[in-house]
Every structure is written in structure tokens, then in C-alpha cells.
Amino acid sequence: MAANPGGGSTDAGGGSVRHIPVLLEEVLAALAPAPGKLILDGTFGAGGYSSAILAAGAEVIALDRDPTAIAAGQAMVAAHGGRLRLIHSQFSHLAEHAPEGGLDGVVLDIGVSSMQIDEAERGFSFQKSGPLDMRMSAEGVSAADVVNRAKVADLIRIFHFLGEESQSPRIAHAIEKRREEKPFETTRDLAGLIELVTPRKMKDKIHPATRVFQALRIFVNDELGELAQALFAAEQALKPGGRLVVVTFHSLEDRIVKKFFSDRAGKASGSRHLPVAHERAATFTAIGKPMVSASEAEAEANPRARSAKLRAGLRTDAAAEAADMSLFGFPNLATLGKLGG
């Protein structure tokens, strides 16, 4: 799970925010948990959604790629007498944890938990001095590996596409110059350089490093690819009548979910200038409004909710389609495996 600054949630780069489940009432309304139903919470985090689903009488399979979240959730597992299974796994693998008969629901909250933000040693926040890490699973390539090893052209693409940072070239070239003298090791190393290169203006609502930190976090954890694969996995794992509910905090994530549901709505293939090649059976139909956002009251009470968007679909009895990543139009970015040390 991950925070989403810039175009996303306000807890992304910085301060301590107590974890409050976002759009909880709306999530429960779309998910419809009840006794006898089995729901998969693909982003357990602090257990906010799982707790509410259990309270509604459903059983829960919960996943999280963060071993810290798995350890912290054991007390909740013990308290629910077998109704909650908590598994250390990326949510892109959720179909592997579904029973043969399928799931009644899947919920995904695509955001970093406040627990991760609050732990300086995880390196998610530039307002807390710590190692430049950002790995949710504590394994693989770190943000420091990316900053110190990636080519300038790759850094520019990463910052521009994943962070929507307009000053990407200036920041990337400044990073290249500085790392020749001394590698980046801490969050303050990087944030301090960005502050010098692109100083904050009076009209700016966010810190100059917000978008770069967002881009690095998304890249290091392959968050967009994980989300896309999780949507395909949910399509396979849900039984007819099952519900897929996704809460996003950033425009890039919301765009992926919107494209997925639009594509799975069963539109006819072919051009408007040519005969229709064939009709595609819908694998999902919309639940309620196409998109739901937080009320003014919730956004005021919980800053994380301000950019949150919920989209939900009801699984039909049509066969799942192929997991074709080209649907989302992702650009070619640097390969993580080539950056590791």
C-alpha cells in the first residue's frame, strides 16, 4: 500500500496521519458483506476495511506485501476465531489465494498506510530523515538504487510519468551531478537537493520533493503494474455476482481502474467506419455511480480522503478475458532488475 502525493493524497510525502479507512461507508455499500460471504481484502494495512467486513458477518482473506503489517495483524487474526486469514502476498497474486468456488468480493485500497509513513526507517517520507528505501516488501531494489544508478534519461521519464513533475530534467541532471561526488543515502539527502534545485514558491501547496518521492515509490514497488495485474486477478477469482471495489488516491491509478471497467463493459470491437467484428460479453457491470468521491465532511475530517475515488463493478457469468497489459498504455521505463546492488 502506498501514499499518493501531488495529484493524490496529502499524507504522501510527509506528516504523520492517523490511519482512518477512507470511504468506509461507500466501500461497504458497494461490497455488500454479509454472513456466508467470503471477501478478499487485497490491501490489509492497518486492517480498517477487514475489521468492518468482519463486523458485517463475512469471512475475510486479507493480503499485504508488507511483513510489518502481517505481524501487526496477528492479534486481529486471533480475535476472530478463524474468520480472518492474513497472508503475506502481493495483491497481484490474489487469485492464487481464492477458493475454487470463487470470491464474493474483492476490495483494494491503493494507498500507503500511515504506519509506513510514520516509520522513518522505511524512507517513504521526506519530512522524516531515514534511509532512502521506500520498499513495501523490504526486498529488492530501493529508491537509493534508482537514484544512484539509473540513467538520467530514465530518471526524467520516471519523474515525469509517475510523478507528473514538470521540472524532471532539471532535477535529474542535478541528481547526476551530485551522485558523482557522493551517493544519495537518506531521504533528506534527496529532498534537500530538490529544494535547492526547485525552491518552493509562495503559491505552491506541496513540498518541491513531493512528486519525485511519489514517482520513486511507485516505481520501486511497481505499483501501477501491481494494480493492473490485481484487476485481472480479481476478474478471474470473483464468482458471478461477486463485487470488485477499488479506492485510489491518484489520477494515474484511477485512470487504470477506469480503463479496466470500461474495457470489461462488453463494448463491441471494430471501428465505427467498419462492420462490427464481434460483440464482447461484459465481465463487469457498474455498481452505482461510475465514480464516488468523499463527502466534504469526510474530506475535512480525514485529509487522506480528499483525492480518494471509488469505482466498483459486479462480476457477470462471462468468462474472464486475457490479462493484456497493453490495455493500459504504460510507457517503457527502466527495468528494476538492472538497478539492484
Side-chain angles (χ1 to χ4, degrees), residues 47-118:
Y49 289 153
S50 286
S51 180
I53 294 165
L54 289 163
E59 295 188 10
V60 175
I61 299 171
L63 312 180
D64 206 295
R65 69 194 294 185
D66 187 344
T68 304
I70 298 298
Q74 294 308 310
M76 186 184 294
V77 172
H80 285 89
R83 293 177 53 230
L84 170 63
R85 289 175 54 205
L86 185 53
I87 302 170
H88 184 209
S89 173
Q90 297 170 222
F91 57 56
S92 59
H93 298 162
L94 69 86
E96 299 171 15
H97 304 291
E100 187 173 343
L103 297 163
D104 295 294
V106 171
V107 60
L108 305 172
D109 173 354
I110 313 302
V112 148
S113 74
S114 56
M115 297 183 300
Q116 291 168 327
I117 294 293
D118 289 343

Side-chain angles (χ1 to χ4, degrees), residues 123-174:
F124 286 101
S125 172
F126 50 75
Q127 292 184 6
K128 299 176 184 293
S129 184
L132 190 58
D133 194 323
M134 303 192 192
R135 295 172 296 176
M136 292 180 190
S137 62
E139 297 178 343
V141 173
S142 70
D145 291 325
V146 178
V147 170
N148 291 318
R149 297 169 183 267
K151 297 177 181 178
V152 170
D154 289 326
L155 289 176
I156 292 172
R157 283 194 289 271
I158 290 167
F159 299 160
H160 176 72
F161 179 75
L162 300 180
E164 299 179 320
E165 172 55 70
S166 61
Q167 299 297 319
S168 296
R170 179 181 297 181
I171 294 170
H173 285 290

Side-chain angles (χ1 to χ4, degrees), residues 14-315:
S16 174
V17 178
R18 184 172 64 87
H19 182 81
I20 303 171
V22 171
L23 292 169
L24 180 58
E25 291 185 11
E26 293 83 354
V27 165
L28 293 176
L31 199 57
K37 291 191 175 183
L38 178 60
I39 309 295
L40 187 142
D41 180 354
T43 46
F44 178 74
Y49 289 153
S50 286
S51 180
I53 294 165
L54 289 163
E59 295 188 10
V60 175
I61 299 171
L63 312 180
D64 206 295
R65 69 194 294 185
D66 187 344
T68 304
I70 298 298
Q74 294 308 310
M76 186 184 294
V77 172
H80 285 89
R83 293 177 53 230
L84 170 63
R85 289 175 54 205
L86 185 53
I87 302 170
H88 184 209
S89 173
Q90 297 170 222
F91 57 56
S92 59
H93 298 162
L94 69 86
E96 299 171 15
H97 304 291
E100 187 173 343
L103 297 163
D104 295 294
V106 171
V107 60
L108 305 172
D109 173 354
I110 313 302
V112 148
S113 74
S114 56
M115 297 183 300
Q116 291 168 327
I117 294 293
D118 289 343
E119 295 172 1
E121 64 271 18
R122 304 296 296 275
F124 286 101
S125 172
F126 50 75
Q127 292 184 6
K128 299 176 184 293
S129 184
L132 190 58
D133 194 323
M134 303 192 192
R135 295 172 296 176
M136 292 180 190
S137 62
E139 297 178 343
V141 173
S142 70
D145 291 325
V146 178
V147 170
N148 291 318
R149 297 169 183 267
K151 297 177 181 178
V152 170
D154 289 326
L155 289 176
I156 292 172
R157 283 194 289 271
I158 290 167
F159 299 160
H160 176 72
F161 179 75
L162 300 180
E164 299 179 320
E165 172 55 70
S166 61
Q167 299 297 319
S168 296
R170 179 181 297 181
I171 294 170
H173 285 290
I175 287 173
E176 180 187 40
K177 183 177 180 180
R178 153 61 206 274
R179 72 189 185 187
E180 290 175 354
E181 303 169 2
K182 181 184 178 182
F184 289 88
E185 296 180 352
T186 70
T187 53
R188 289 308 308 163
D189 279 347
L190 181 58
L193 176 76
I194 296 171
E195 288 170 357
L196 290 174
V197 175
T198 58
R200 188 170 188 169
K201 300 176 183 177
M202 290 291 292
K203 65 179 181 179
D204 292 342
K205 295 182 180 179
I206 62 173
H207 188 280
T210 299
R211 294 187 177 92
V212 168
F213 269 63
Q214 168 189 289
L216 286 170
R217 192 208 69 241
I218 291 174
F219 181 72
V220 163
N221 297 290
D222 188 25
E223 292 177 32
L224 301 188
E226 278 287 302
L227 172 56
Q229 293 288 0
L231 296 174
F232 294 136
E235 182 180 34
Q236 294 176 353
L238 285 166
K239 63 177 63 171
R243 293 162 178 257
L244 172 58
V245 181
V246 188
V247 177
T248 62
F249 296 86
H250 187 276
S251 58
L252 292 174
E253 300 158 348
D254 180 59
R255 220 170 291 151
I256 291 169
V257 180
K258 183 179 180 180
K259 275 188 175 182
F260 175 78
F261 279 131
S262 176
D263 182 76
R264 271 23 186 188
K267 295 179 180 177
S269 64
S271 164
R272 64 188 178 91
H273 301 294
L274 298 171
V276 174
H278 66 275
E279 294 284 345
R280 290 171 54 204
T283 59
F284 282 95
T285 58
I287 297 174
K289 296 179 180 178
M291 188 276 288
V292 176
S293 56
S295 66
E296 291 184 11
E298 180 177 3
E300 181 67 26
N302 182 8
R304 278 193 82 229
R306 291 175 185 165
S307 59
K309 295 180 180 178
L310 181 154
R311 297 184 187 273
L314 188 71
R315 187 70 171 87

